[in-house]
């Protein structure tokens, strides 16, 4: 099961798992994009389901549809997410609430409903988190909060299931070519529609998906990707004051938020 599988890392994961011969169920809010994805794989065991992961009932229906189609669940990858770009002084509270509902509660809902099947099969729960789950990023306060929450919640779940044979893992891709920045919410909670980041210098979604699959096979605890991502986590852990200044310089130019 892969949430948010119609584009970006989610789609790359759907492609990769189908090529490996897996039965795949994925969801998204846009039926047309899901249908286009399904049309790419005629005859393949791919279930598409329209769902908004911020809604508990939609998540429950997605789990039930998957079990009805395939009988059980072995792996759940909580990939669906949304970012934001706005200063705390300017952002509306509903924008932060929307980010939390999708990124955090979407992970909680899907995991909660899928967990009985996954634990029975000693399978794997994955949360696609972010470097922002280790280091708060300016202009992305709600996004950082949601990813810190995802990491902490999955760490607690992992500890609870330590003797069950079930693996729980969180993945922090770093900067990856993905649509998440283009649909990042602005201060008013509307899609920004563009990204100031240079996509050419980022890890591709396909490469990211391969790293995630290998980590699932090895039943890793966590996965931090890209040199910049690993450096950021290291610096923030051992040199937090210096990390404050470096992150500030990265995201601001002449006192203005630029990235």
């Amino acid at each position: 099961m892969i949430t948010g599988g119609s584009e970006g890392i989610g789609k790359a994961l759907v492609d990769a798992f189908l090529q490996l011969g897996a039965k795949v169920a994925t969801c998204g809010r846009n039926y047309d994009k899901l249908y286009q994805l399904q049309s790419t794989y005629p005859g393949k065991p791919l279930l598409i389901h329209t769902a908004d992961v911020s809604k508990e009932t939609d998540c429950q229906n997605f789990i039930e549809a998957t079990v009805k189609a395939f009988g059980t669940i072995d792996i759940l990858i909580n990939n669906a997410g949304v970012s934001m770009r706005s200063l705390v002084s300017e952002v509306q509270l509903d924008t932060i609430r929307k980010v939390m509902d999708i990124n955090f509660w979407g992970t909680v809902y899907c995991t909660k409903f899928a967990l009985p099947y996954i634990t029975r099969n000693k399978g794997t729960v994955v949360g696609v988190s972010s470097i922002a789950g280790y280091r708060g990023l300016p202009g992305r306060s709600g996004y950082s909060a949601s990813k810190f929450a995802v990491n902490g919640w999955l760490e607690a779940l992992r500890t609870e299931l330590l003797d069950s044979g079930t693996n729980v893992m969180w993945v922090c891709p770093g900067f990856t070519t993905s649509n998440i920045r283009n649909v990042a919410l602005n201060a008013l909670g509307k899609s920004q529609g563009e990204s100031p980041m240079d996509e050419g210098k980022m890890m591709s979604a396909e490469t990211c998906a391969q790293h995630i699959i290998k980590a699932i096979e090895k039943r890793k605890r966590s996965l931090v990707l890209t040199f910049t991502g690993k450096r950021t986590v290291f610096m923030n852990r051992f040199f937090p004051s210096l990390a404050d200044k470096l992150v500030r310089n990265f995201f601001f130019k002449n006192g203005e938020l630029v990235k």
Side-chain angles (χ1 to χ4, degrees):
M1 295 190 66
I2 302 164
T3 66
S6 61
E7 54 195 347
I9 296 172
K11 182 179 181 300
L13 284 165
V14 171
D15 293 338
F17 273 108
L18 284 173
Q19 290 168 14
L20 289 170
K23 298 176 181 177
V24 179
T26 192
C27 71
R29 289 180 292 182
N30 189 312
Y31 173 78
D32 290 338
K33 290 182 179 179
L34 290 171
Y35 180 77
Q36 184 177 8
L37 175 64
Q38 190 179 52
S39 300
T40 307
Y41 293 102
K44 290 284 188 177
L46 172 62
L47 170 71
I48 59 170
H49 188 89
T50 306
D52 179 347
V53 296
S54 69
K55 298 178 180 178
E56 180 179 342
T57 302
D58 280 17
C59 293
Q60 186 171 13
N61 290 340
F62 177 42
I63 303 303
E64 290 176 351
T66 301
V67 173
K68 183 177 180 180
F70 298 135
T72 190
I73 303 165
D74 296 297
I75 299 170
L76 167 65
I77 302 178
N78 293 289
N79 167 74
V82 66
S83 187
M84 61 162 285
R85 194 177 300 118
S86 173
L87 298 174
V88 173
S89 59
E90 299 172 355
V91 70
Q92 291 189 355
L93 291 176
D94 280 346
T95 300
I96 296 178
R97 188 173 293 113
K98 185 175 182 178
V99 172
M100 288 294 297
D101 284 345
I102 294 172
N103 295 356
F104 174 65
W105 281 109
T107 297
V108 172
Y109 294 147
C110 289
T111 301
K112 175 66 175 177
F113 293 125
L115 200 58
Y117 305 99
I118 294 173
T119 53
R120 193 178 305 151
N121 296 326
K122 298 183 178 181
T124 297
V125 175
V126 179
V128 178
S129 184
S130 169
I131 300 304
Y134 285 94
R135 161 76 222 188
L137 302 181
R140 293 154 179 79
S141 57
Y143 182 70
S144 297
S146 70
K147 295 304 186 179
F148 267 82
V150 165
N151 288 3
W153 190 77
L154 289 175
E155 188 170 52
L157 178 63
R158 177 183 173 86
T159 308
E160 290 180 12
L161 299 176
L162 208 54
D163 297 329
S164 71
T166 302
N167 192 49
V168 178
M169 176 179 72
W170 47 100
V171 178
C172 301
F175 289 123
T176 307
T177 54
S178 168
N179 197 46
I180 192 169
R181 282 172 304 284
N182 298 80
V183 296
L185 305 181
N186 60 21
L188 302 177
K190 305 296 182 181
S191 295
Q192 189 142 351
E194 60 181 14
S195 170
M197 303 295 286
D198 183 358
E199 298 274 336
K201 296 180 180 180
M202 299 179 189
M203 178 182 289
S204 70
E206 291 74 20
T207 300
C208 181
Q210 291 300 322
H211 282 293
I212 293 172
I213 291 172
K214 289 179 182 178
I216 292 172
E217 290 175 342
K218 295 180 180 179
R219 300 178 74 84
K220 286 191 172 183
R221 182 180 191 272
S222 61
L223 176 66
V224 177
L225 294 174
T226 77
F227 173 75
T228 300
K230 293 176 181 179
R231 181 181 60 186
T232 301
V233 173
F234 175 84
M235 291 294 292
N236 198 61
R237 180 178 180 183
F238 294 103
F239 307 100
S241 295
L242 178 58
D244 288 344
K245 296 176 182 178
L246 293 174
V247 171
R248 167 80 187 188
N249 291 338
F250 182 80
F251 284 97
F252 284 84
K253 184 176 183 180
N254 297 325
E256 297 290 331
L257 184 69
V258 294
K259 294 183 183 291

